[in-house]
Amino acid sequence: MIVAEVVAHQLLKRFGAVTAVNAIDLSIGDGEFVFLLGPSGCGKTTTLRMIAGLEMPTSGKITIGGRNVTFLRARYRNVGMVFQDYGLYRHMTVFGNIAYPLKVRRMSRAEIRRRVGEVAATLRIADILDQRPDDLAGGQLQRVAIARMLVRDADVFLMDEPMSHLDAQLRGHMRAELRHLQKQLGVTTVFVTHDQLEAMTMADRIIVMRSGNLHQYGTPQEVFERPDDQFVATFVGEPQMNILSCTIEEDGGEPAACGPGFRAPLDRAWLGQCQRAARNHPLRLGIRPEHVSLRETPDDEHTIPAELIAFEATGTENLFIVKCGEAEITACMPRHASARFARSEGSRYFLRFDPAWLYLFDGESGWTLAHAVGSRSASVREPRA
């Protein structure tokens, strides 16, 4: 049985004066489905291309199954790849496209026919083998590109945003299908995307990147509930986490995060996670929109007056974008629970933050100083100091 763990050590790639990937370390276990997630230009595709052998690193080391492949060309790495534009040959039939990697290896016609038939049946494209790419729809093109990757019996599968050209409904279907196929085959797979929904629903682990740097590497639950820094907290999650500049103050011995237009009481034990939350130190408070609730009247002194500046109905949920002093806050509530609230601009409400889901970030470095109490688990990392 082939063990195809992928390990990169201090992987660096420069294009002239531009550092595309900045000395990152990563280890992808045998059979894992790992996603490289980040905004455009963060270095995720360059990292994938270095694993594939399509780009040579400036420095660092890459091993696949314990074999040093750092400077080997792609043909010697036994990896299969699906490109963003599928990379199919328009003059060839579907059969010819899928069979091409096997023909290059000079396999017999009978073996080629057998392998293409098997993978075509798996992906339900046996009925289009005689057609050409120009005659196919987006979902069919994707299946053909994946079939060409699968037919090689590669040690590692690499996918560069293969669903970016599909419509939303088809993407949803293909997410489930690819996840099932990857687990069925058990092949180590690295998938590049800027779509957090793809990463959160399909990945075993997620590598979050920005500006060539690796910001966090963990399970979907870890990066969502236990973000290492403010960038990860705001990039992962839709709608985006609310970030509010604040300082820690005490009134009658009770600590609170205070900023222009809001005051949020803090649990002293929770605040004990943070060694740098000194009085008047620049900090940022984080809370996801789903943990901000609306009230028509103030429950107590901890509710925050707010004024509606925008309303968005998303189907099952409603988004209320409100102004609290100088702070702009988004609250996300189920449609049925928020139906009674006025939705015209200027409507007045009162907000309440769920104290179990507050985060605290360093105002200068952006590092997480205190994670939400609700996210505590023995299986996740402690915040960086």
Side-chain angles (χ1 to χ4, degrees), residues 313-385:
T314 64
T316 57
E317 297 173 325
N318 289 329
L319 301 184
F320 295 82
I321 298 91
V322 301
K323 198 83 169 178
C324 301
E326 297 179 11
E328 188 174 301
I329 299 171
T330 299
C332 178
M333 298 182 67
R335 184 178 60 182
H336 69 275
S338 58
R340 70 181 188 274
F341 292 104
R343 302 174 183 183
S344 57
E345 186 175 333
S347 298
R348 301 281 181 170
Y349 315 116
F350 292 88
L351 301 185
R352 188 176 181 87
F353 296 162
D354 185 338
W357 289 98
L358 295 173
Y359 295 82
L360 204 60
F361 304 101
D362 186 275
E364 296 172 353
S365 68
W367 286 1
T368 304
L369 299 175
H371 284 126
V373 174
S375 69
R376 287 178 181 170
S377 167
S379 66
V380 295
R381 293 187 294 267
E382 289 303 311
R384 289 190 282 188

Side-chain angles (χ1 to χ4, degrees), residues 16 31 39 46 56 121 133 170 233-234 342 354:
T46 301
M56 295 299 144
L170 188 54
T234 54
D354 185 338

Side-chain angles (χ1 to χ4, degrees), residues 255-272:
C258 300
F262 74 93
R263 184 179 187 277
L266 303 176
D267 180 89
R268 189 175 293 278
W270 172 82
L271 195 60

Side-chain angles (χ1 to χ4, degrees), residues 148-383:
R148 187 177 60 181
M149 176 185 71
L150 297 181
V151 80
R152 294 187 53 185
D153 285 336
D155 298 337
V156 178
F157 293 155
L158 306 173
M159 301 186 182
D160 187 8
E161 302 202 57
M163 296 191 284
S164 60
H165 300 306
L166 304 183
D167 60 53
Q169 184 176 5
L170 188 54
R171 276 204 308 273
H173 175 73
M174 290 305 299
R175 282 197 299 268
E177 193 167 88
L178 272 176
R179 171 74 180 175
H180 173 73
L181 183 63
Q182 195 276 333
K183 290 304 162 192
Q184 183 181 44
L185 296 172
V187 177
T188 307
T189 304
V190 186
F191 192 114
V192 162
T193 186
H194 64 273
D195 185 334
Q196 57 168 305
L197 183 60
E198 288 180 0
M200 293 296 290
T201 56
M202 297 169 66
D204 294 323
R205 288 195 293 167
I206 299 171
I207 299 167
V208 185
M209 296 183 68
R210 181 178 69 161
S211 302
N213 295 298
L214 192 158
H215 277 246
Q216 189 164 354
Y217 189 9
T219 66
Q221 181 183 356
E222 285 173 353
V223 298
F224 183 77
E225 293 191 354
R226 308 278 290 187
D228 277 357
D229 56 34
Q230 184 180 318
F231 167 73
V232 175
T234 54
F235 188 78
V236 177
E238 182 63 34
Q240 182 175 295
M241 179 184 284
N242 295 295
I243 302 293
L244 307 169
S245 296
C246 70
T247 56
I248 302 300
E249 301 177 6
E250 295 193 23
D251 184 7
E254 293 300 319
C258 300
F262 74 93
R263 184 179 187 277
L266 303 176
D267 180 89
R268 189 175 293 278
W270 172 82
L271 195 60
Q273 292 186 62
C274 172
Q275 300 176 357
R276 298 177 59 190
R279 189 184 185 93
N280 298 322
H281 183 77
L283 300 167
R284 294 192 183 98
L285 187 72
I287 184 165
R288 295 197 182 277
E290 57 267 31
H291 299 134
V292 179
S293 57
L294 298 183
R295 295 193 175 19
E296 295 176 296
T297 58
D299 292 345
D300 52 38
E301 68 276 13
H302 300 316
T303 50
I304 304 166
E307 178 181 337
L308 184 68
I309 58 175
F311 171 81
E312 297 178 9
T314 64
T316 57
E317 297 173 325
N318 289 329
L319 301 184
F320 295 82
I321 298 91
V322 301
K323 198 83 169 178
C324 301
E326 297 179 11
E328 188 174 301
I329 299 171
T330 299
C332 178
M333 298 182 67
R335 184 178 60 182
H336 69 275
S338 58
R340 70 181 188 274
F341 292 104
R343 302 174 183 183
S344 57
E345 186 175 333
S347 298
R348 301 281 181 170
Y349 315 116
F350 292 88
L351 301 185
R352 188 176 181 87
F353 296 162
D354 185 338
W357 289 98
L358 295 173
Y359 295 82
L360 204 60
F361 304 101
D362 186 275
E364 296 172 353
S365 68
W367 286 1
T368 304
L369 299 175
H371 284 126
V373 174
S375 69
R376 287 178 181 170
S377 167
S379 66
V380 295
R381 293 187 294 267
E382 289 303 311

